Amino acid sequence: MIKKQWTALCLSLLLLLTTATAQAKNNEEIELSGRCGAYCYWLLKGDTLIVGGIGSVGNFGESPSNLYYSIDEQWNTPLVSHTKVPWDPYRSKIQNIYVEEGVTNFFDVDFNFYTKLAYLYLPKSITDLGTATFKRSSNLRQIHYAGSKGELHIADDVAKAIKRVSVRYESVKTPDIFTGFYDRALEAKNNLYATGSAGENIRWELKNRILHIEGTGDMLPMGSDGLSYIDPIINHPYGETGSFYAAPWGYFGDVIQQVVIGEGVESVFVNAFHECRELQTLYLPASVKRVATAAFAAIPNLQTLHYGGNGPAWEQVQFEKD
């Protein structure tokens, strides 16, 4: 009888040990990755989530209309699903989150019920915790931020949610895992090619981060005058009618570094280069007669404007307000 009990006890212990070993192995070997924004990527390795790239992590509250943004390049599936970030199914495994330098917006998503999350690292490129919530993520105890205290904005409601968390500033740390996400994002930006219509007789082409606009007549936004211009290459409309007209290249505002408008184009519409934050150099032809002043709103890095005409011709250009 004693021998049978001993044998049963040994078998039970062996089963428990095998289960624990399998679980530990599962936690150690889990490695998933994907895309979480136009130029942002994520990697989950074991209990550590790393998010990197350039710019903003996607807003997963609704599917963006731009397919280049919303389709995962590897699996060809939509990124957006039920307002959850792609790593959300594994939130019970995540203990550490590292956000790499280059990511500018990460927190318009929630971190509710991340029950094991204990550590969060933020780079200087993030300056706002946004609308992040940490409901029942009670194990979060440390946030390390590479910048100074005055550079990081924490809203009152977010501050209440993380009131038990120690925030350490000017603390530069990197994970042991090399992702190469920043280089990957930079390469994707440099290699991006897009083209389309910007008026009845005007076409645009984005290549090597330079936007070329060629043709004759008025440059028009998407949906202007009740029209939705059809690109002859992909046979797809670029916009719908509405009170707010956007540029057909507007989705690539964080890619464009230079704009070259060819001779023959006569006008620049409102919001044409709105929030092209990477734009540094702009070429205007002598044929331009009208320029909407709001065309150049929110482009803080514009350094040089080249004009193809002479001084008297420049004086004749009409700068129109909204």
Side-chain angles (χ1 to χ4, degrees), residues 4-322:
K4 289 182 178 180
Q5 290 177 343
W6 175 253
T7 302
L9 178 61
C10 288
L11 288 173
S12 298
L13 290 173
L14 180 61
L15 180 60
L16 288 172
L17 180 61
T18 302
T19 302
T21 302
Q23 289 177 345
K25 187 176 181 181
N26 180 57
N27 287 336
E28 180 182 353
E29 291 183 352
I30 184 172
E31 184 168 340
L32 300 163
S33 63
R35 190 171 168 202
C36 55
Y39 301 102
C40 288
Y41 311 90
W42 64 280
L43 168 68
L44 177 60
K45 187 174 180 65
D47 59 9
T48 299
L49 172 69
I50 305 173
V51 178
I54 300 174
S56 176
V57 170
N59 182 352
F60 293 88
E62 58 181 275
S63 178
S65 59
N66 179 15
L67 296 182
Y68 178 77
Y69 180 93
S70 62
I71 301 298
D72 183 273
E73 59 190 11
Q74 180 178 2
W75 303 108
N76 196 33
T77 55
L79 285 169
V80 180
S81 176
H82 306 299
T83 74
K84 298 297 183 182
V85 289
W87 56 79
D88 192 73
Y90 312 99
R91 62 184 182 273
S92 62
K93 297 179 180 292
I94 296 173
Q95 296 183 26
N96 310 290
I97 297 178
Y98 285 87
V99 185
E100 296 181 340
E101 186 68 34
V103 177
T104 57
N105 182 0
F106 182 59
F107 292 103
D108 284 335
V109 293
D110 65 61
F111 294 88
N112 295 334
F113 300 97
Y114 281 55
T115 54
K116 292 184 179 179
L117 178 61
Y119 177 77
L120 173 64
Y121 174 76
L122 306 176
K124 287 188 69 173
S125 55
I126 286 183
T127 58
D128 196 336
L129 283 185
T131 58
T133 54
F134 297 88
K135 182 179 180 182
R136 297 192 183 179
S137 298
S138 55
N139 282 320
L140 180 60
R141 288 291 179 267
Q142 291 187 67
I143 295 179
H144 285 186
Y145 179 57
S148 63
K149 185 174 182 179
E151 294 175 323
L152 182 65
H153 175 257
I154 304 177
D156 291 340
D157 54 341
V158 178
K160 291 178 181 178
I162 60 172
K163 60 184 179 182
R164 298 179 181 177
V165 177
S166 172
V167 182
R168 183 179 298 176
Y169 297 92
E170 298 180 353
S171 178
V172 179
K173 295 181 180 293
T174 55
D176 296 331
I177 306 166
F178 175 74
T179 65
F181 285 157
Y182 184 89
D183 293 336
R184 180 179 176 184
L186 189 60
E187 182 180 7
K189 281 192 171 190
N190 291 336
N191 292 336
L192 172 65
Y193 177 81
T195 185
S197 303
E200 187 174 358
N201 298 305
I202 295 178
R203 289 196 58 79
W204 63 274
E205 180 184 63
L206 176 58
K207 186 177 182 180
N208 296 326
R209 306 189 76 169
I210 302 174
L211 175 65
H212 293 272
I213 303 171
E214 303 287 345
T216 58
D218 290 329
M219 186 196 307
L220 296 174
M222 298 190 299
S224 180
D225 298 327
L227 300 175
S228 181
Y229 288 103
I230 306 297
D231 183 273
I233 297 177
I234 62 174
N235 194 33
H236 184 76
Y238 273 93
E240 303 298 333
T241 60
S243 58
F244 178 79
Y245 301 132
W249 49 80
Y251 293 121
F252 313 114
D254 59 347
V255 176
I256 299 168
Q257 292 184 333
Q258 187 177 130
V259 173
V260 179
I261 303 176
E263 192 66 36
V265 177
E266 297 181 4
S267 66
V268 180
F269 58 81
V270 175
N271 300 320
F273 308 111
H274 180 67
E275 293 189 351
C276 288
R277 298 185 181 278
E278 300 294 322
L279 179 59
Q280 300 174 15
T281 307
L282 173 67
Y283 290 84
L284 285 177
S287 57
V288 165
K289 302 174 183 177
R290 298 176 305 280
V291 176
T293 53
F296 308 107
I299 49 173
N301 291 311
L302 183 63
Q303 300 174 4
T304 308
L305 172 64
H306 295 275
Y307 176 60
N310 54 27
W314 177 256
E315 295 294 330
Q316 296 300 314
V317 177
Q318 299 178 21
F319 288 90
E320 303 169 344
K321 296 182 179 180
D322 296 352

